[in-house]
Amino acid sequence: MAHQAHAYHMVDPSPWPLTGAVAALLVTSGTAIWFHFNSTILMTLGTMLLLLTMYQWWRDIIREGTFQGHHTPPVQKGLRYGMILFITSEVFFFLGFFWAFYHSSLAPTPDLGGCWPPAGITTLDPFEVPLLNTAVLLASGVTVTWAHHSIMEGDRKPAIQSLALTILLGFYFTFLQGLEYFEAPFTIADGVYGSTFFVATGFHGLHVIIGSTFLAVCLLRQIQYHFTSEHHFGFEAAAWYWHFVDVVWLFLYISIYWWGS
Amino acid sequence: MKGVLMYLKVFSFPPACILNKMSIDRVVSTDVKMAEDIQAKLEKYRTAPFDARFPNQNQTRNCWSNYLDYHRCQKALDAKGVDTAPCDWYKRVYKSLCPISWIQKWDDQREEGTFPGKI
């Protein structure tokens, strides 16, 4: 009966990295096929495979950590580094879109009328729905912190309630943004204003959806007693991600909605 | 007359050369003297002089600014029913600086009513 003489996790062979790579190939090439040959089969197949991979891979991680005890303190430290590095890479991702926005808005070209917002663009009032959205996300930051403290205190019911409230606030934000997108007087095709606005806020919205999903998984796990008051890294990772999403929104709000109006 | 002086104060104008000649403080200047000064300037014109507002290699803003200023000057002086000769300075500058295709594009846009600049 062999035991490891170290605290690290030597992961068992797994097919999910391969299926993930194949999914990435199918999604990207499938999207190109869709653009040029009007066929969505490859892209759809790739997306299905991607979703399956994510579900099964992360399910395996939960099994290894929560049920099999492989997530010792050094292993958890590695997971923390990983999540921080991932979020850092996402920060750089958004930095690019902010660069694009400032490039075009600080020195508006003659084609725009030499002004920002460009001639002919009616911007959204930053003190209407966008301000409400800001309040919603800030409140969700409070509720997720409340959830964290509840988990650490071992308060099961408040943890479930505050986590559920956080997710509801996330849905409310997404719903409000959806309405704004529908009602907006300009589209993504409306010059560089439309492009910068919808690409930046669009990717942000996608991250809100991803973050809400991550939190929802945590809610299910909390209900099923996965988290202890000492060990709940999945939740912490979700909370970090959620705070990151909130901070990106604050920058978006100040730059694009307020200064840019 | 006073209107033209007021206009000169308000609109962006090549700072050094014309203002020195124009001497806004000297209300004694008559229309004739000013017209002569402008004529002198225009006759001596070779190309757009250095404009400290646009010191760098990219002169797009210089072209755009003078194109706008010419048409704003035209519009303002026409509205007052005054001789639009002072506006010709801006015309000379933008004609010197701007690519012909830009001028044509902007002229067409003004015809159509789709010109994005504020005139």
Side-chain angles (χ1 to χ4, degrees):
Chain A
M1 220 169 48
H3 290 113
Q4 63 187 49
H6 60 81
Y8 296 97
H9 184 194
M10 303 302 289
V11 183
D12 289 331
S14 163
W16 313 132
L18 180 61
T19 61
V22 171
L25 173 64
L26 292 179
V27 166
T28 48
S29 52
T31 307
I33 298 285
W34 175 43
F35 289 165
H36 293 277
F37 304 113
N38 198 28
S39 160
T40 55
I41 176 79
L42 222 56
M43 186 179 71
T44 316
L45 195 58
T47 312
M48 295 292 110
L49 190 54
L50 183 62
L51 290 167
L52 273 175
T53 302
M54 292 194 290
Y55 176 74
Q56 289 170 116
W57 195 336
W58 282 324
R59 179 205 59 193
D60 281 356
I61 294 174
I62 292 171
R63 286 172 174 176
E64 292 158 5
T66 306
F67 303 142
Q68 297 176 344
H70 286 291
H71 289 178
T72 61
V75 171
Q76 206 194 114
K77 192 154 171 237
L79 293 169
R80 282 175 193 276
Y81 276 130
M83 192 64 195
I84 287 169
L85 288 171
F86 173 65
I87 291 177
T88 306
S89 75
E90 293 250 78
V91 167
F92 282 107
F93 179 70
F94 277 97
L95 229 50
F97 296 118
F98 277 99
W99 182 350
F101 169 73
Y102 278 111
H103 176 99
S104 297
S105 58
L106 284 168
T109 61
D111 316 273
L112 308 173
C115 54
W116 193 274
I121 296 279
T122 28
T123 59
L124 301 172
D125 186 342
F127 299 112
E128 300 223 337
V129 175
L131 187 58
L132 174 59
N133 271 343
T134 306
V136 168
L137 281 186
L138 286 173
S140 71
V142 171
T143 53
V144 81
T145 307
W146 172 18
H148 190 194
H149 284 268
S150 302
I151 292 174
M152 290 191 291
E153 306 289 306
D155 283 337
R156 178 181 166 78
K157 213 160 115 201
I160 291 171
Q161 286 174 343
S162 50
L163 188 44
L165 185 50
T166 309
I167 296 165
L168 281 175
L169 287 168
F171 284 167
Y172 188 33
F173 175 93
T174 305
F175 169 72
L176 287 169
Q177 269 298 67
L179 282 184
E180 284 283 274
Y181 271 30
F182 189 70
E183 297 288 339
F186 52 86
T187 71
I188 197 173
D190 284 322
V192 75
Y193 185 87
S195 301
T196 50
F197 181 91
F198 284 108
V199 168
T201 61
F203 270 118
H204 173 261
L206 177 63
H207 284 69
V208 170
I209 293 168
I210 293 169
S212 303
T213 310
F214 196 171
L215 288 167
V217 167
C218 287
L219 179 59
L220 288 174
R221 294 185 66 199
Q222 163 67 7
I223 291 171
Q224 291 175 16
Y225 299 94
H226 287 202
F227 299 136
T228 73
S229 55
E230 307 281 299
H231 189 169
H232 44 262
F233 176 66
F235 173 83
E236 286 184 66
W240 290 351
Y241 196 77
W242 192 250
H243 287 306
F244 154 71
V245 159
D246 187 9
V247 170
V248 170
W249 170 259
L250 293 175
F251 279 100
L252 279 175
Y253 180 74
I254 305 279
S255 306
I256 297 183
Y257 285 91
W258 196 352
W259 176 82
S261 68
Chain B
M1 163 63 200
K2 193 145 153 260
V4 181
L5 284 176
M6 288 310 296
Y7 160 75
L8 286 172
K9 273 195 192 146
V10 166
F11 276 93
S12 58
F13 221 88
C17 38
I18 283 212
L19 278 176
N20 282 339
K21 287 278 172 175
M22 291 288 110
S23 308
I24 291 180
D25 294 334
R26 288 193 317 165
V27 188
V28 170
S29 292
T30 60
D31 272 338
V32 172
K33 176 115 197 327
M34 245 185 22
E36 276 174 4
D37 286 334
I38 297 172
Q39 280 300 92
K41 269 270 149 291
L42 288 171
E43 260 157 53
K44 288 200 313 184
Y45 187 89
R46 304 294 288 267
T47 190
F50 173 71
D51 188 340
R53 296 173 298 164
F54 314 106
N56 296 323
Q57 183 176 349
N58 187 334
Q59 292 289 293
T60 303
R61 204 84 191 174
N62 195 350
C63 148
W64 172 251
S65 186
N66 280 284
Y67 183 87
L68 283 181
D69 285 345
Y70 171 70
H71 291 94
R72 288 174 182 167
C73 173
Q74 281 287 108
K75 185 174 171 193
L77 296 191
D78 268 342
K80 295 197 195 315
V82 167
D83 177 33
T84 60
C87 303
D88 280 344
W89 174 264
Y90 299 125
K91 186 166 190 185
R92 292 287 188 97
V93 173
Y94 88 68
K95 286 251 180 237
S96 302
L97 292 174
C98 300
I100 297 172
S101 59
W102 292 13
I103 299 172
Q104 274 170 356
K105 183 177 77 184
W106 292 337
D107 288 344
D108 293 341
Q109 284 177 335
R110 282 187 305 110
E111 284 275 327
E112 278 177 48
T114 58
F115 183 69
K118 187 151 173 251
I119 292 189

